[in-house]
Amino acid sequence: MSAIRLLVLGAVRQHGRAHGYQVRNDLEYWGAHEWSNAKPGSIYHALKQMAKQGLLRAHDIAPSTAGGPPRTEYELTEAGEAEFFTLLRAALSQHDQKADVLSAGIGFVLDLPRAEAVALLKERVRALEEWRSTVTEYYTPEEGPGQLGHIGEIMNLWVHSADSGAAWTRGLIERIEGGAYVFAGEGERFVGVLPDGVENPYAVKDAHPEDDR
């Protein structure tokens, strides 16, 4: 699973309708260009590709007063809405997601009801524990990973990753169950987008700017 699809669908969804530059600006404001593959070219490609796939609906709008071709705005279709939630639920619940996918899922976790978010995160903990148990029971020598020399450090890495991932997820579950944040259906939620006209301090400066359509 690629984080870019979830990130782009989620960014468009937050606006209702958004053009490519708005999506890119949001993702750069979140630092997604540093921790994921959300680079400018990938963002514009994803928008156009998902429009072809029927996940986004493209609208040509009037060009700016400075002239130039019409800018394209995108909005989620019914299929795009379903795809967004499918990707979001997988990002939060599956133990083997890459860090950028899990990060994207956390970025949109408030789009879910609180109880569902907790249930998905608990599933992630369960899967991490099951994976850890399966791997250690199958592979660890009776005398411990040290019997494998430096190769045993791979096992130590796996176990540490599983334990730390489960511990972090339990902490998040505890905070959510304790009332942190405003989830879907609970009222006005935090949305991390810049107001119109506010300069993005984290914007990437292009040597060759992309077409923002």
Side-chain angles (χ1 to χ4, degrees):
M1 173 180 168
S2 169
I4 189 69
R5 288 171 70 87
L6 175 55
L7 286 167
V8 169
L9 286 171
V12 172
R13 188 175 184 272
Q14 286 194 150
H15 287 279
R17 280 174 58 157
H19 54 74
Y21 184 75
Q22 286 175 309
V23 173
R24 174 186 167 181
N25 200 47
D26 285 351
L27 298 186
E28 289 180 354
Y29 183 56
W30 305 339
H33 57 296
E34 299 290 350
W35 49 259
S36 78
N37 60 339
K39 304 298 189 288
S42 299
I43 294 168
Y44 295 116
H45 175 75
L47 286 165
K48 293 175 182 178
Q49 190 67 22
M50 288 193 286
K52 291 179 181 178
Q53 294 169 351
L55 303 177
L56 295 172
R57 183 176 295 110
H59 302 273
D60 286 339
I61 61 174
S64 67
T65 54
R71 176 175 272 174
T72 302
E73 286 188 342
Y74 298 89
E75 65 176 335
L76 269 65
T77 62
E78 186 174 334
E81 184 84 359
E83 177 73 356
F84 168 74
F85 281 106
T86 295
L87 295 174
L88 176 56
R89 289 172 177 128
L92 294 172
S93 64
Q94 295 178 4
H95 79 279
D96 55 352
Q97 297 287 11
K98 293 182 178 179
D100 61 342
V101 175
L102 176 59
S103 298
I106 296 301
F108 297 115
V109 67
L110 301 185
D111 289 357
L112 296 167
R114 185 180 298 271
E116 183 177 6
V118 168
L120 291 168
L121 291 167
K122 285 183 176 179
E123 172 58 24
R124 181 173 190 268
V125 171
R126 186 204 64 77
L128 281 167
E129 291 174 340
E130 180 180 351
W131 175 78
R132 184 193 193 280
S133 176
T134 300
V135 169
T136 54
E137 287 178 8
Y138 171 75
Y139 192 70
T140 306
E142 291 183 7
E143 300 83 1
Q147 294 299 308
L148 299 173
H150 75 283
I151 302 300
E153 295 298 341
I154 298 173
M155 175 61 68
N156 290 334
L157 171 62
W158 291 346
V159 170
H160 177 77
S161 297
D163 289 345
S164 60
W168 172 84
T169 308
R170 290 191 194 96
L172 177 56
I173 291 169
E174 182 178 353
R175 291 188 290 277
I176 293 173
E177 289 183 326
Y181 315 120
V182 179
F183 284 78
E186 296 180 348
E188 186 174 349
R189 293 175 291 129
F190 173 82
V191 179
V193 298
L194 285 169
D196 289 341
V198 175
E199 184 177 357
N200 181 0
Y202 309 112
V204 175
K205 306 301 182 183
D206 290 341
H208 303 287
E210 290 276 350
D211 178 359
D212 70 359
R213 293 178 290 163

